[in-house]
Amino acid sequence: MIDLYYAPTPNGHKITIFLEETGLPYHIIPINISANEQFTPEFLAISPNNKMPAIVDRQPADGGDPLSLFESGAILLYLADKTGQLISQDFRERQSTLQWLFWQMAGFGPMLGQNHHFNHYAPKPVPYAIERYQLETVRLYGVLNRQLARHAFMAGDSFSIADIATYPWVVSHERQHIDLANFPAVRRWFDSIHARPAVERAYRIPTQKN
Ligand SMILES: N[C@@H](CCC(=O)N[C@@H](CS)C(=O)NCC(=O)O)C(=O)O
């Protein structure tokens, strides 16, 4: 059983998509970040960076004590290796998957997070920041579009944790002032993932339980 510390954000949805895709048993522990539950000592013991998602695997492969992990990319890689699913066993496609997973974690997610912040949450408009993160958002969608124009999925022929990490951020493309008509390969990929039954289930998980 996996304990998932979760809120319904793009980074949270990465993990519920993975768990729904693989059928690995899990139990959700809601973290209400608006109520600052990410700062409780109990949660910080699992996620010292005070952010969700985080997991505790009560049956780790080494048979030892429960294993806790934070950072959505590390969690996806751990669960993919645990199940042998959603990461290719082919040497080269595995490297490609890790490369695009790290691209999402280091670039696409953080830059789009800044886009959201300066477009929707900053207490006053900061034109330089709005323009900087909009330009970077457009550049990153261009990178993704070029990759997906050559491959069915981000790492190659197979749906993988790289796609799972990236999709939830593309769900918010309108909030990022991105028109997918300008990125037709992303549009094709997005629609194909949106239609997956496990993805539909992941987005139907009730949002706040506490
Ligand atoms: N790099 C982290 C980012 C996680 C993250 O930013 N989580 C946000 C919600 S999406 C959070 O918990 N924020 C609470 C806070 O910053 O206090 C990951 O991918 O897991």
Side-chain angles (χ1 to χ4, degrees):
M1 176 68 78
I2 302 291
D3 289 345
L4 170 62
Y5 293 78
Y6 169 82
T9 72
N11 291 316
H13 282 130
K14 293 175 185 176
I15 314 304
T16 49
I17 291 173
F18 183 96
L19 292 165
E20 288 293 332
E21 285 281 348
T22 56
L24 200 58
Y26 68 101
H27 163 65
I28 286 187
I29 298 154
I31 295 294
N32 185 342
I33 51 183
S34 306
N36 283 337
E37 289 179 0
Q38 68 275 31
F39 296 107
T40 62
E42 298 76 28
F43 184 63
L44 289 174
I46 293 163
S47 184
N49 197 35
N50 66 262
K51 291 180 191 288
M52 72 87 233
I55 63 165
V56 176
D57 183 355
R58 305 212 160 269
Q59 290 161 313
D62 64 0
D65 290 341
L67 186 150
S68 64
L69 278 176
F70 65 100
E71 281 293 328
S72 59
I75 295 168
L76 286 174
L77 181 55
Y78 174 78
L79 294 175
D81 282 342
K82 177 182 175 75
T83 58
Q85 295 184 58
L86 297 166
I87 188 161
S88 177
Q89 304 307 313
D90 173 80
F91 176 76
R92 285 177 190 262
E93 193 158 327
R94 180 181 169 92
Q95 307 319 314
S96 179
T97 305
L98 295 181
Q99 167 184 265
W100 286 102
L101 175 66
F102 279 60
W103 174 84
Q104 191 289 321
M105 292 300 300
F108 200 71
M111 293 301 115
L112 272 51
Q114 296 301 325
N115 174 313
H116 288 187
H117 178 81
F118 286 105
N119 272 320
H120 301 287
Y121 302 117
K124 60 180 183 188
V126 185
Y128 174 80
I130 292 170
E131 185 184 0
R132 173 180 169 83
Y133 292 112
Q134 196 61 45
L135 286 173
E136 183 62 359
T137 298
V138 170
R139 187 189 73 79
L140 288 163
Y141 270 86
V143 172
L144 183 59
N145 196 63
R146 284 192 291 282
Q147 177 68 0
L148 291 170
R150 296 189 298 123
H151 302 281
F153 294 102
M154 288 173 67
D157 296 335
S158 313
F159 181 62
S160 77
I161 53 174
D163 303 291
I164 290 176
T166 305
Y167 171 83
W169 285 93
V170 178
V171 167
S172 305
H173 60 272
E174 288 175 359
R175 278 166 61 75
Q176 298 150 11
H177 303 153
I178 288 292
D179 182 353
L180 288 189
N182 296 325
F183 302 97
V186 177
R187 168 99 261 168
R188 185 260 316 147
W189 167 90
F190 177 79
D191 290 344
S192 78
I193 297 177
H194 182 76
R196 294 175 77 92
V199 173
E200 289 179 18
R201 285 198 300 279
Y203 279 82
R204 280 204 305 268
I205 292 169
T207 49
Q208 276 310 338
K209 294 118 197 138
N210 54 350

